Amino acid sequence: MRFIEQWVGHETKLILLGLVILDLFSFGAHLFGLTTYLFSAICAFVGYISLKKQDWLFPLALAEIISTSNGHSADIFISGVPIGPRIVIFAALVIVMAHRAIKKKTPLNHTTPMIILSAWVIFSAIRGIVEGYPLKDVYLDANGYFAVLYVAAGYISQKTSKNAHLIFEAVGAAIAWLVAKSLLLLFVFGHISPKILHFINIWVRDTRFGELTYQTGNLYRIFLQSQWFVVPAILLTVSYIWHTKGAKKENALWLFLVALIATILISMSRTFWLALIVAGLILASLYLEKIASVLKSVPILLFATIGSLAVLLNILAVPIYMNGSPNGLAELFSKRASEISDAALDSRRQLLPELNDAIMERPLSGYGLGKRLSYVTKDPRYIQMHETDLVTTYAFEWGWHDIWVKFGLFGVGLFIYFLFYLSILLFINSKTDPSRRWLWRGLLASVIALTVSHIFSPYLNHPIGWGTIAFIVAILPPIIAEVKHKEEATRGIVVQAAI
């Protein structure tokens, strides 16, 4: 089966159409003040799926994470706290999966790492309340870490679902729309009058699904937080190329790879670029037995990268309304990769000493969720908006520092152990399941990329990070159980799936 075919099925077009409609309706609802009605419609749809199409619930939850970044397509506000479609989907997912687990007596063997980690998150939320932190801060902080329950939902979904391939279809459709949306926004912002773009900017701001920042000529930085999923997509694609002899003849694969690289370039995220480089090198080391094939593919991969630059240049050079020249694109990317000072980097540097001081005060126990710290920023946008250079927040850009401050050293150890445990399972599967070795090695590299990304941009306190892990868990256990069972059958040993 070819690479693209493994992510496409009978329901792919329906899922893709649904995601496009969601964005269109979201834009229209924000434009005409109808978000409450859209929120109600989404609630009704989720209720129907929860009752009648439960196998769809987990795949659609993953698709929503990938497509909308922060899950605020249509918010309502309760006591000043935004409640978006993602919370509705998440609540329905947890309730439905808990019910299915109890009803079908889903075995919980080898789920200890997940259970302990979830319990520590709950304990840290309670501790934040006891410490007297603002309830809103504790709720919003815990909201990100409670996304670990997506992993539990993935595990239960795998054990009880009758259509496992639907997960691949949902993820494939969502990534395809994410890539198309990123390139479409690049075109729109490069060729439409700023007066019209005002309405799109309002929508982007209110839904918080990205940052669209002017760079030069008619080029904007198109950064969507969920573009993180393009990193695993590239790693999986490259892993397939290195593993499969006939991959060079799959034209659709190469077009997809060019689009993925173009998307990761216009994100201009140094975190994504670094994570991709580190994980890519580790992925290459896993293919030492095919080092000749890896080396032969380097010129082709470079050509794909050049092709992605050509795609971006052609999008920007279309002779429709333009407010500047698209020249200097490669130079801009080079400057972005090498610069050591800008507003975002400076703010991170200012925050780091405060985080280190807080860790030194309580290195073992941490402070609990909702802990605030203050630091001075040089970001002109923040200063202009808030009329002060003092930032006080519970949300810290340094991901692993965030975990250490709130969960203590024990919490850091739990998170690392969980990721290590998952990596071991993927490595074992890559050894025992040679036909899909590309998949397990690509996912192993993705876990490493997630670990690296979390250093500079927090993803393990967000559904994006836990959604990535949930996808892995949802497809990993049955393969391990099946292969291990065959391997150990002669000795009378049955090995159960674990996470």
Side-chain angles (χ1 to χ4, degrees), residues 348 351-352 355 396-402 454-456:
R348 281 182 170 89
L351 173 60
L352 192 56
L355 288 170
F396 312 132
E397 289 295 324
W398 298 90
W400 287 105
H401 282 75
D402 185 276
H454 191 63
I455 296 173
F456 308 103

Side-chain angles (χ1 to χ4, degrees), residues 28-94:
H30 281 82
L31 188 62
F32 297 106
L34 301 173
T35 52
T36 301
Y37 295 100
L38 180 58
F39 179 84
S40 300
I42 292 172
C43 287
F45 174 75
V46 173
Y48 172 79
I49 294 294
S50 300
L51 293 173
K52 301 295 185 180
K53 300 281 186 179
Q54 292 185 353
D55 282 353
W56 278 75
L57 195 54
F58 178 71
L60 289 183
L62 290 181
E64 188 275 333
I65 292 171
I66 296 170
S67 178
T68 69
S69 286
N70 284 303
H72 294 284
S73 299
D75 285 354
I76 62 171
F77 290 84
I78 300 176
S79 299
V81 177
I83 306 296
R86 178 166 300 167
I87 293 179
V88 176
I89 296 171
F90 178 69
L93 182 66
V94 170

Side-chain angles (χ1 to χ4, degrees), residues 459-473:
Y459 278 99
L460 290 176
N461 63 348
H462 196 283
I464 290 175
W466 291 113
T468 305
I469 296 173
F471 167 70
I472 296 172
V473 169

Side-chain angles (χ1 to χ4, degrees), residues 155-435:
Y155 178 83
I156 296 168
S157 175
Q158 180 277 309
K159 289 292 185 181
T160 59
S161 176
K162 297 178 182 178
N163 187 1
H165 193 260
L166 187 59
I167 297 174
F168 283 89
E169 294 181 50
V171 170
I175 290 178
W177 174 233
L178 174 67
V179 169
K181 181 162 52 175
S182 299
L183 298 178
L184 180 61
L185 284 170
L186 180 70
F187 173 83
V188 167
F189 274 74
H191 298 286
I192 292 183
S193 169
K195 292 181 180 179
I196 300 176
L197 293 180
H198 172 71
F199 298 106
I200 301 178
N201 271 318
I202 291 175
W203 176 56
V204 171
R205 180 198 66 194
D206 291 348
T207 58
R208 292 185 281 170
F209 83 83
E211 297 176 13
L212 311 180
T213 312
Y214 177 73
Q215 299 298 309
T216 183
N218 67 330
L219 173 64
Y220 281 74
R221 178 194 183 195
I222 310 297
F223 174 73
L224 313 181
Q225 199 171 0
S226 60
Q227 283 169 338
W228 147 257
F229 287 99
V230 176
V231 174
I234 291 175
L235 292 170
L236 286 167
T237 306
V238 172
S239 182
Y240 179 86
I241 292 170
W242 289 344
H243 175 268
T244 309
K245 290 184 178 179
K248 295 179 181 179
K249 299 179 181 180
E250 298 184 25
N251 295 331
L253 177 151
W254 291 101
L255 291 174
F256 181 59
L257 180 59
V258 167
L260 290 172
I261 296 173
T263 302
I264 212 70
L265 286 175
I266 61 171
S267 76
M268 298 190 192
S269 170
R270 287 165 296 214
T271 296
F272 292 166
W273 296 350
L274 178 63
L276 193 56
I277 292 170
V278 173
L281 291 173
I282 292 175
L283 179 63
S285 71
L286 295 174
Y287 279 97
L288 287 178
E289 80 277 6
K290 292 189 175 184
I291 190 64
S293 176
V294 171
L295 293 176
K296 286 181 181 179
S297 71
V298 171
I300 304 176
L301 293 175
L302 288 175
F303 183 76
T305 303
I306 295 171
S308 68
L309 286 170
V311 168
L312 297 178
L313 283 170
N314 277 280
I315 290 174
L316 295 171
V318 172
I320 302 176
Y321 176 88
M322 296 170 61
N323 54 12
S325 168
N327 295 332
L329 188 62
E331 182 182 349
L332 178 64
F333 290 137
S334 176
K335 180 182 177 182
R336 176 72 179 174
S338 60
E339 66 184 353
I340 59 175
S341 180
D342 64 17
L345 286 175
D346 290 341
S347 291
R348 281 182 170 89
R349 291 193 186 102
Q350 294 294 326
L351 173 60
L352 192 56
E354 303 299 331
L355 288 170
N356 290 334
D357 289 343
I359 289 171
M360 290 300 101
E361 288 181 14
R362 294 187 186 180
L364 299 179
S365 62
Y367 295 84
L369 292 171
K371 169 64 177 177
R372 286 183 174 187
L373 291 176
S374 298
Y375 66 97
V376 176
T377 182
K378 297 179 181 179
D379 187 343
R381 292 176 301 176
Y382 181 90
I383 296 172
Q384 182 179 8
M385 184 180 298
H386 297 87
E387 297 182 348
T388 179
D389 61 355
L390 185 65
V391 180
T392 300
T393 182
Y394 62 85
F396 312 132
E397 289 295 324
W398 298 90
W400 287 105
H401 282 75
D402 185 276
I403 291 174
W404 200 339
V405 166
K406 294 163 184 174
F407 297 94
L409 187 59
F410 179 71
V412 174
L414 281 177
F415 277 82
I416 293 175
Y417 174 67
F418 183 89
L419 295 174
F420 178 74
Y421 192 85
L422 181 61
S423 299
I424 291 297
L425 293 181
L426 288 166
F427 183 76
I428 291 173
N429 230 36
S430 72
K431 293 292 186 182
T432 56
D433 184 20
S435 64

